[in-house]
DNA sequence: TTTCATCTTGCAACAGAGTTGCGAATATAG
DNA sequence: CTATATTCGCAACTCTGTTGCAAGATGAAA
């Protein structure tokens, strides 16, 4: 894996953002940096490297956020935290401290969790 | 809201299915019943009526499932249950009995929950 | 520093999911 | 049965993401 301009710019952008960013938002923020296909490919690479994680929002919009709290940066590391999606300002935030408790029927083998709460974020409520 | 052939066929299909169905799956199952645009519009109507709920799967695929356990059929009624997405057979199931417990930082106002666990379903594990 | 295999990029073309406008068809209230 | 609002089919379109390929950039090794 090579370090390129596009990759480090995009990685910095995501790292410095307090909210998860969509492809469209990244494209707007890096205006003219590179082709939109390159953004898709860079994002894939960052996810593969475990630098960034992909979030499917409740409205189906794909967002990317920094793996702040992850020491393990292999691409298989789990993200067992909740995300909060604000219905007003559309921001998506990682709530890394919140760990949900639940009891599944046996026979289900869980390997991944995707948990998003929607409503109003502190800024909007 | 009117009862049409397309609507009742699609509603029955979803009601009789043990797993959530995507637009594509519904189109395949009702082959030739109606136009694909009609399927989209019928699904929107069923969701508005509260007969069916929409699930955004971890892979971003939109699926529809019956509101079995919902007595309230207004379009704003909540769906506070977990969904299970099987990575092998791609089935998405409502686990209506499981209610997760979690503690959010104050200031967040929650109005909706979207919780999907992935792994292997009983049939596949 | 130069070489060179390999990775990355831009461009164009494509694919899939979902939306919109509009005229024709049809469900249902009266 | 008639009138009218709803629903439908079709075609065209948007949006998001993917793929193939030739050209360009990276960095390890010579
Ligand atoms: Mn993470
Ligand atoms: Mn339900
Ligand atoms: Zn907000
Ligand atoms: Zn399965």
């Amino acid at each position: 894996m090579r370090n390129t301009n596009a990759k480090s710019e995009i990685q910095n952008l995501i790292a410095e953002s307090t909210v998860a960013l969509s492809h469209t938002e990244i494209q707007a923020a890096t205006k003219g940096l590179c082709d939109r296909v390159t953004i898709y490919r860079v994002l894939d690479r960052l996810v593969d490297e475990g630098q960034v994680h992909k979030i499917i929002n409740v409205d189906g919009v794909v967002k990317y956020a920094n793996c702040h709290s992850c020491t393990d940066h292999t691409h298989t590391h789990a993200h067992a935290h909740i995300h909060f999606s604000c219905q007003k300002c559309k921001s998506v935030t990682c709530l890394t401290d919140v760990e949900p408790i639940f009891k599944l029927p046996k026979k289900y083998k869980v390997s991944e969790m995707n948990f998003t709460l929607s409503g109003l974020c502190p800024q909007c409520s």
Side-chain angles (χ1 to χ4, degrees), chain A residues 86 88-91 121 123-124:
Chain A
C86 179
K88 195 172 174 192
C89 71
K90 305 290 169 193
S91 68
C121 75
Q123 280 76 39
C124 292

Side-chain angles (χ1 to χ4, degrees), chain A residues 47-98:
Chain A
V47 170
D48 280 350
E49 290 178 13
Q51 304 291 339
V52 152
H53 66 282
K54 196 174 179 172
I55 305 162
I56 312 287
N57 198 5
V58 271
D59 54 6
V61 174
V62 177
K63 301 225 171 189
Y64 297 87
N66 204 296
C67 288
H68 290 103
S69 58
C70 302
T71 45
D72 175 12
H73 277 183
T74 60
H75 81 111
T76 44
H77 78 281
H79 296 284
H81 57 263
I82 292 183
H83 294 123
F84 191 88
S85 176
C86 179
Q87 289 164 338
K88 195 172 174 192
C89 71
K90 305 290 169 193
S91 68
V92 174
T93 324
C94 300
L95 302 178
T96 39
D97 296 332
V98 186

Side-chain angles (χ1 to χ4, degrees), chain A residues 21-42:
Chain A
L21 300 172
S22 68
H23 173 272
T24 311
E25 289 162 340
I26 292 167
Q27 191 175 7
T30 60
K31 200 170 184 179
L33 170 70
C34 63
D35 193 79
R36 64 187 201 93
V37 179
T38 301
I39 298 177
Y40 281 115
R41 297 200 261 227
V42 165

